Amino acid sequence: MDPFDDLLRGVRADGAVFGRSVLSPPWALRFTDGASMTLCVPLRGEGWIIPPGDGGDGARPHAVRLGEVAIVRGPEPFVFADDPGAAARTHPPLDVRCGREQGGHGGLGGRAEQGGRGGSSGRGELDERGGSGGREPDGRGEPGGHGGPGGRGELDGRTVLMAGAYHVRGEVPRRLLRVLPPVVVVADHHDCGPLRDYFETQLAAERPGRQIVLDRLLDWLLVCTLREWFDRPESVPPAWYRALGDDVAGPALRAMHEAPDRPWTLTSLAAEARVSRTTLAKRFTELVGEPPLAYLTEWRMALAADLLTEPATTVDSVARRVGYADAFGFSTAFKRVRGMSPTAYRKEVTAVGA
């Protein structure tokens, strides 16, 4: 187990929904899910992501071509369009939300004609069930038609977009969001490449468990995309991600994440790395930016914050699960890091979620 595994453990497609849309230009979709992350995958054609903002680098349009995957950090709405100048058009983009069709298939909800406005002859539709329909300029296809549920018609069209919205909850997965830029675009070669063919095969099939398969493929694509981005020279991944590959800091990091409840000391962590305490402390601090035990405390408090949202847990049980012998010592550490007691934190989170 390592920090990357832990961050993604709570980010699953069974807490997300996905959809697909068949479109003909001009088109512009504004995603209004309020999702923490949205995955955009062109299965046919290409488009541009136009994030919100004041024109800074994070708000510039990003091209997403066939063979690429984009992750957009939320929760602010963003636009996916056929043209980077879509914001200057006279007609507004279509507001959509990722959703599930009747029968469990993914869809982008809402209904509107994207083309046809402003005198354009091309148009694409999103049908009211949340399904993806399309009509080409020559009139082929029925409005909202797929060529039959699950048929190849779902993949016909100049642009076929699949999108998945991830609603991330919890302190641990939020650590991932804090290190992501507003938009990440990564080519889906290497580990990610085969997923495109799998997606198309599943979308064209009507086999039992199709939704579960698509959910898991979406998870796999998210992990592959993040890993590809973190490994790029120009990316700025969290310091611990780089440290995972280090012979000294890496073993200590994995040990803390594998068993946060163990009574770790600098001596026992150094033993995991098979180095002296001085060597571990120096190397870990250089790579991660803080000493090993300070990192351990922050990690334990993030875990504890999520555990405290579970109704059946007590402060004493949470204390033991994150490595404290009693509730008093845990409460003192939690208040020092989080600025409030575990009980006050639980009440605040419960009130927000009510």
Side-chain angles (χ1 to χ4, degrees), residues 248 270 275-286:
V248 175
V275 296
S276 69
R277 292 184 304 167
T278 302
T279 299
L280 174 63
K282 182 176 184 296
R283 185 65 174 166
F284 193 100
T285 303
E286 286 176 351

Side-chain angles (χ1 to χ4, degrees), residues 13-209:
D14 52 15
V17 289
F18 76 92
R20 57 199 170 274
S21 182
V22 181
L23 301 158
S24 294
W27 53 267
L29 308 177
R30 181 168 54 216
F31 285 80
T32 59
D33 295 88
S36 307
M37 291 187 296
T38 303
L39 224 63
C40 292
V41 189
L43 297 180
R44 297 284 188 276
E46 60 186 39
W48 290 80
I49 288 174
I50 306 168
D54 57 6
D57 184 65
R60 64 180 175 84
H62 295 258
V64 187
R65 300 177 175 87
L66 187 65
E68 294 180 328
V69 180
I71 299 174
V72 185
R73 192 187 68 207
E76 295 82 6
F78 68 94
V79 172
F80 194 92
D82 66 308
D83 188 302
R89 289 178 184 160
T90 57
H91 58 271
L94 169 66
D95 286 349
V96 298
R97 297 171 64 88
C98 291
R100 297 192 189 276
E101 298 173 9
Q102 296 170 359
H105 307 305
L108 295 175
R111 178 183 179 90
E113 296 180 356
Q114 270 299 298
R117 303 183 191 181
S120 172
S121 61
R123 80 185 199 178
E125 286 189 347
L126 305 181
D127 76 26
E128 290 174 324
R129 295 176 302 153
S132 56
R135 180 181 292 173
E136 292 293 318
D138 61 5
R140 288 183 286 114
E142 294 299 322
H146 300 178
R152 295 297 298 183
E154 295 189 18
L155 299 175
D156 291 339
R158 294 185 185 181
T159 301
V160 180
L161 171 67
M162 185 175 68
Y166 281 80
H167 297 270
V168 176
R169 298 175 179 86
E171 284 299 309
V172 171
R174 284 195 191 107
R175 288 159 66 100
L176 170 64
L177 298 178
R178 286 195 285 268
V179 301
L180 286 179
V183 181
V184 171
V185 180
V186 176
D188 63 0
H189 48 259
H190 302 309
D191 292 344
C192 305
L195 289 176
R196 187 173 301 278
D197 293 336
Y198 294 153
F199 270 120
E200 294 201 8
T201 299
Q202 291 301 318
L203 287 170
E206 272 296 306
R207 301 188 62 189

Side-chain angles (χ1 to χ4, degrees), residues 6 72 80 83 198 207 210 219 230 240 246 290 292 305 315-316 326 348:
D6 280 319
V72 185
F80 194 92
D83 188 302
Y198 294 153
R207 301 188 62 189
R210 186 178 85 149
D219 289 340
F230 279 168
W240 53 257
D246 185 73
E290 59 184 335
V315 173
D316 189 60
D326 56 63
E348 183 176 277

Side-chain angles (χ1 to χ4, degrees), residues 4 25 33 41 70 75 109 174 178 200 216 234 260 298-299 345-346:
F4 194 66
D33 295 88
V41 189
R174 284 195 191 107
R178 286 195 285 268
E200 294 201 8
R216 297 292 78 83
E234 69 271 23
E298 289 284 348
W299 170 235
Y345 177 83
R346 168 176 273 168

